[in-house]
Amino acid sequence: MDFGGVDNGTDIRGAGEGMANGGGPVTRATAGAVDAAGAVRATWAAGAAEAGVRSRGLDTEAVHAGRDDLARQGLHAPPIDLSTTYPSYDSRGEAARIDAFAADGAEPDGPPVYGRLGNPTVARFETALARLEGTESAVAFASGMAALSAVLLARGALGLRHVVAVRPLYGCSDHLLTAGLLGSEVTWVDPAGIEDALRPDTGLVLVESPANPTLAELDLRAIAHSCGSVPLLADNTFATPVLQRPAEQGARLVLHSATKYLGGHGDVMAGVVACDEEFAGRLRQVRFATGGVLHPLAGYLLLRGLSTLPVRVRAASATAAELVRRLSGDPRVARVRYPRLGGAMVAFEVHGDPHEVIAAVRLVTPAVSLGSVDTLIQHPASISHRIVDAADRRGSGVGDRLLRLSVGLEDVEDLWQDLDAALGAGRRTRRGATGSAAVGRLR
């Protein structure tokens, strides 16, 4: 199966496979995921050196970043600080620290002041995520949408309310921009039209790559060049820093719905923006004013989730690549979409009724969200992107027969047995729909 050099939306007919030295099936999709992870590891030392940090591998950072001081304190597990307020007998000092925060949003020196100003447990997660993404700072929020809202509010406060965006985005991100709920105005463009769409009041360019749910990929470096001085925000939720670090390609802001892969177990809701310290200061001020803070227990769970992030992403990606190979050869499947970057997300269109496929799964969990240890399947046109206008939704590639699969850590044979049975239940093959599925490797 040859995915190389395929334009967005181009189909490749047929499927093939190679064999690894150990005798197991391997696809070029698997190789792509391995290459992407290897490229991130290869640039890690250079990025760490530039930041003045002793070079450590991505896997090591995932385990130790945000925890480096624990052993010196006689601790092994990070403590969970549930305090909402912190006593101080120095009210003059408190006033000075609050004044300093009001000026630039820098984290107050000394002990914490109040929960909305910051929390030590959450700060550990922020430190770790910034190290993984290769940025100076990171600011965590109560959800991914709270994080995006804070970015829009920070730019809007400067009179920069215009946003240039590329579809598809996560459905609620699309709605937040289109509805103008925060006073923003959006211009939707193809990547080639970004530069021409910029205006004096443009405060942000927003993209998602791989995109939700079509998995279309964008050339982030080229887009960053087109943005000029306007900050580029790249939603990196699907790729994670294991496969891609947008800041290295010119993105000033890297957004995560941390609910997904960073947490990884479907039991925490959070968002985070990795960025430079100047922008982080503005985001902290917005967070303080609006109250979109992350609970300390969520910060602890996210920090724990990061420690296994590389292992989880690589394992799920290998399973996803094998499922792509099988789906692409199945006559019940019209098209399979899987990014060059690899990863654990798969999108596919069926000839039959997608709702019947959803209703028939037994091992796979029929639920919105993604990035958990268990495999999830959902119908974007009904759930995650239902809020997007139908014409806009279909125009961005989110068709009515598209299903989105978030591959977890189950055995691939068990997953395939479940999907095979569900595809059989949902089959209402149109006359003449035979042969292998079309496979699109998107960019």
Side-chain angles (χ1 to χ4, degrees):
M1 173 168 21
D2 187 359
F3 292 113
V6 180
D7 290 332
N8 188 10
T10 301
D11 293 341
I12 298 180
R13 303 288 173 177
E17 65 174 323
M19 298 300 291
N21 291 335
V26 63
T27 67
R28 294 193 184 184
T30 308
V34 172
D35 289 346
V40 170
R41 289 195 295 271
T43 59
W44 189 264
E50 184 177 346
V53 176
R54 183 176 65 83
S55 176
R56 299 194 299 199
L58 175 67
D59 291 36
T60 302
E61 288 288 9
V63 173
H64 289 280
R67 303 171 178 84
D68 289 321
D69 63 321
L70 293 180
R72 292 190 299 275
Q73 298 184 53
L75 299 173
H76 186 229
I80 304 174
D81 188 334
L82 296 175
S83 298
T84 59
T85 191
Y86 299 85
S88 173
Y89 294 97
D90 182 9
S91 57
R92 294 185 181 88
E94 296 285 88
R97 291 199 292 155
I98 291 174
D99 288 345
F101 177 84
D104 58 14
E107 295 181 287
D109 293 329
V113 179
Y114 186 63
R116 271 193 293 120
L117 277 168
N119 173 272
T121 306
V122 173
R124 289 181 180 279
F125 163 66
E126 292 172 330
T127 297
L129 193 277
R131 292 289 294 271
L132 290 176
E133 282 290 4
T135 60
E136 287 182 319
S137 302
V139 183
F141 295 85
S143 70
M145 292 307 301
L148 176 57
S149 296
V151 172
L152 295 174
L153 289 170
R155 300 304 283 166
L158 300 176
L160 303 172
R161 300 183 182 277
H162 180 241
V163 178
V164 176
V166 177
R167 280 188 170 120
L169 299 173
Y170 168 52
C172 288
S173 299
D174 188 308
H175 176 67
L176 181 65
L177 296 176
T178 302
L181 297 176
L182 298 178
S184 58
E185 177 189 351
V186 62
T187 299
W188 297 101
V189 297
D190 292 327
I194 289 175
E195 187 172 3
D196 290 340
L198 299 179
R199 307 186 325 207
D201 64 336
T202 302
L204 189 71
V205 174
L206 176 57
V207 301
E208 184 173 0
S209 181
N212 185 355
T214 65
L215 305 181
E217 292 176 280
L218 302 174
D219 184 339
L220 294 180
R221 195 176 302 278
I223 288 176
H225 179 75
S226 299
C227 292
S229 61
V230 177
L232 170 62
L233 184 152
D235 189 327
N236 202 33
T237 298
F238 276 26
T240 80
V242 177
L243 299 178
Q244 171 180 269
R245 299 210 296 175
E248 294 176 345
Q249 301 178 55
R252 186 177 180 186
L253 307 165
V254 182
L255 174 69
H256 284 273
S257 172
T259 308
K260 313 307 193 291
Y261 285 105
L262 302 189
H265 293 76
D267 57 7
V268 60
M269 184 170 288
V272 64
V273 179
C275 57
D276 58 86
E277 174 56 27
E278 179 184 0
F279 208 108
R282 298 173 192 160
L283 292 178
R284 293 188 197 103
Q285 290 172 328
V286 172
R287 183 177 64 181
F288 175 72
T290 60
V293 296
L294 184 66
H295 192 277
L297 179 58
Y300 171 84
L301 291 173
L302 288 168
L303 185 63
R304 186 175 68 173
L306 289 184
S307 63
T308 61
L309 178 65
V311 176
R312 288 186 284 108
V313 168
R314 292 172 192 142
S317 297
T319 300
E322 174 60 15
L323 292 176
V324 165
R325 185 189 70 81
R326 299 187 188 193
L327 288 167
S328 66
D330 195 303
R332 299 165 296 183
V333 177
R335 186 182 187 188
V336 179
R337 305 183 183 196
Y338 189 66
R340 286 185 178 84
L341 195 64
M345 298 300 301
V346 180
F348 61 98
E349 299 170 14
V350 295
H351 288 299
D353 186 345
H355 302 286
E356 293 301 320
V357 176
I358 294 287
V361 294
R362 293 297 178 264
L363 177 65
V364 175
T365 303
V368 74
S369 199
L370 57 105
S372 184
V373 291
D374 60 323
T375 298
L376 308 176
I377 191 169
Q378 66 113 356
H379 183 240
S382 295
I383 306 180
S384 64
H385 290 71
R386 189 68 179 179
I387 201 168
V388 180
D389 177 79
D392 293 333
R393 187 172 65 231
R394 296 184 185 110
S396 62
V398 187
D400 293 338
R401 293 181 182 271
L402 181 71
L403 293 169
R404 190 190 74 189
L405 187 70
S406 170
V407 180
L409 300 181
E410 301 95 336
D411 185 276
V412 67
E413 297 300 335
D414 294 328
L415 289 174
W416 179 248
Q417 183 179 27
D418 194 39
L419 287 172
D420 183 43
L423 287 168
R427 183 175 185 180
R428 289 197 306 207
T429 305
R430 291 172 292 181
R431 185 173 299 175
T434 59
S436 300
V439 182
R441 192 65 175 235
L442 304 172
R443 68 180 176 188

